[in-house]
Amino acid sequence: MTTRIVELRRGILKKNDELAAGLRGRYGAAGVLVLNLVSSPGTGKTAFLERTLRGLRTQGARVAALVGDLETDNDARRLAASGAPVRQINTHGICHLDAVMISKHLEGWEGVELASLDYLFIENVGNLVCPSSYDLGEAIRVALLSVTEGEDKPLKYPTLFNSADAAIITKMDIAEPCGFDRELALKNINEIRPGIRIFETSAKTGAGMKEWLEYLNEERKNHSS
Amino acid sequence: MGVLAAVVVDSLEFCWGLATADTPLEGSRLVVKMVPVVMHCVPCAADVELEGVQSFRCPLCDEPCSDLRQGRELEIESFEIDEIDDSPGVEEAEVEA
């Protein structure tokens, strides 16, 4: 009996990464800007996205959303009220979306073609851990954090915050009663992801949404040129 | 495994036992090698290793770094097997791994 070492050097998420690269190519060819929204449960992803969809539609942009949840289509129904096409992805216990799920749900989506969209939003399952490992082919990964969660959230979840391209602070309208330390939150985000664009928003009052929509417009131009 | 791979080693080892039960890999040992975060520091023009993941600053010049070069890996580097003549189990183990 002899002992043999077999070199493999194979990425465990290789299949997801390859599929995501394929999706990225499709998004690029279709000229659609794709964003992946990630946060804890309860941060306000759906309310923020609803406001975003309405804002973009008011500008005349063509938008759609895929929304991930373990169970229920409550979020999809809420988002559909914006008038944008929305499709629910139920993961049935899986705590994140992966490229296979996105790929499947882009097929047979009635009335939605990638090439006829300007923006596609993917609302991930509420979780700050696993979604950081799964590339969905998005152009922009958005990490959201609410004023009720504690300013040290980026330090507790550096893996996710370090992989983000933009950060959103939600529920700014209740920042004061929550004793939210704005300076500390901004410092912590910057410590984990230096130079990241940060938007301080409220889906309720609309605060910060103008800057956010401007950013989306700019990014769409940058990615399509 | 990179320290930013979002995988908990204890959980991985726990699951390894469950996943390999009743397979040719049953009883095998999982050896996890952690790799630190390496960032490229522009002012230093060098790749620098971070001591932790609480601050993405260059340990040499203290400037913030945003260019990650290593730390998200999740790879099977190699496996070690005992060969018994030309056992067909080798092929199977490779597929399972």
Side-chain angles (χ1 to χ4, degrees):
Chain A
M1 193 169 73
T2 51
T3 298
R4 190 157 71 104
I5 293 175
V6 182
E7 293 279 338
L8 206 60
R9 298 219 159 266
R10 191 188 158 92
I12 290 173
L13 295 172
K14 190 167 173 254
K15 193 181 161 198
N16 186 81
D17 291 343
E18 285 172 352
L19 205 56
L23 284 171
R24 187 166 282 117
R26 280 176 64 192
Y27 303 151
V32 54
L33 186 72
V34 179
L35 296 98
N36 177 9
L37 274 56
V38 188
S39 80
S40 314
T43 297
K45 283 186 297 302
T46 310
F48 175 76
L49 181 52
E50 198 177 344
R51 189 107 196 185
T52 302
L53 294 175
R54 284 184 196 278
L56 288 171
R57 278 173 58 81
T58 306
Q59 294 179 353
R62 300 164 301 171
V63 295
L66 286 172
V67 50
D69 259 309
L70 282 85
E71 303 291 344
T72 86
D73 61 353
N74 293 352
D75 287 358
R77 281 192 275 118
R78 271 173 68 190
L79 291 171
S82 69
V86 179
R87 195 168 203 196
Q88 181 75 49
I89 304 176
N90 277 134
T91 61
H92 302 295
I94 296 175
C95 61
H96 57 266
L97 295 176
D98 62 32
V100 180
M101 297 179 199
I102 301 303
S103 199
K104 275 187 188 162
H105 285 80
L106 287 175
E107 303 308 321
W109 189 357
E110 216 181 303
V112 177
E113 293 288 335
L114 281 181
S116 61
L117 291 176
D118 298 318
Y119 301 91
L120 172 66
F121 292 87
I122 302 170
E123 181 183 333
N124 219 308
V125 179
N127 178 357
L128 278 176
V129 185
C130 306
S132 59
S133 302
Y134 290 87
D135 185 3
L136 305 179
E138 73 268 23
I140 298 173
R141 183 176 288 183
V142 186
L144 297 89
L145 160 77
S146 71
V147 300
T148 60
E149 289 172 55
E151 299 82 0
D152 59 351
K153 206 101 190 212
L155 304 179
K156 287 182 176 171
Y157 298 91
T159 299
L160 191 278
F161 280 88
N162 181 262
S163 73
D165 303 295
I168 311 286
I169 302 176
T170 61
K171 309 185 191 181
M172 281 303 286
D173 54 299
I174 54 166
E176 210 182 319
C178 288
F180 179 67
D181 187 338
R182 176 180 172 270
E183 293 302 321
L184 182 60
L186 297 178
K187 180 178 172 287
N188 287 341
I189 295 170
N190 263 303
E191 210 54 46
I192 298 301
R193 185 62 158 154
I196 191 174
R197 279 291 298 270
I198 305 172
F199 300 89
E200 298 167 59
T201 68
S202 162
K204 198 168 179 182
T205 66
M209 294 306 291
K210 187 171 163 279
E211 292 78 8
W212 165 243
L213 295 181
E214 280 169 7
Y215 167 79
L216 291 177
N217 294 164
E218 279 166 32
E219 287 299 316
R220 198 178 116 66
K221 273 187 216 135
N222 294 342
H223 279 85
S224 57
S225 60
Chain B
M1 188 160 82
V3 294
L4 286 176
V7 175
V8 179
V9 178
D10 286 347
S11 303
L12 184 65
E13 285 174 345
F14 176 73
C15 293
W16 181 255
L18 297 175
T20 56
D22 299 323
T23 75
L25 288 175
E26 181 164 354
S28 61
R29 197 161 60 93
L30 188 66
V31 181
V32 180
K33 187 171 88 186
M34 299 300 293
V35 296
V37 173
V38 172
M39 306 294 294
H40 182 73
C41 174
V42 177
C44 295
D47 288 349
V48 291
E49 199 175 289
L50 298 192
E51 277 180 22
V53 288
Q54 292 294 289
S55 178
F56 286 73
R57 287 174 180 275
C58 173
L60 305 175
C61 70
D62 205 36
E63 283 296 311
C65 328
S66 54
D67 187 359
L68 184 122
R69 296 288 168 94
Q70 178 190 286
R72 292 193 182 281
E73 295 75 9
L74 185 59
E75 290 173 6
I76 303 171
E77 188 181 78
S78 63
F79 58 94
E80 192 178 309
I81 45 171
D82 289 332
E83 277 184 332
I84 308 164
D85 302 328
D86 47 12
S87 160
V90 174
E91 285 294 310
E92 275 178 44
E94 202 164 341
V95 173
E96 289 292 329

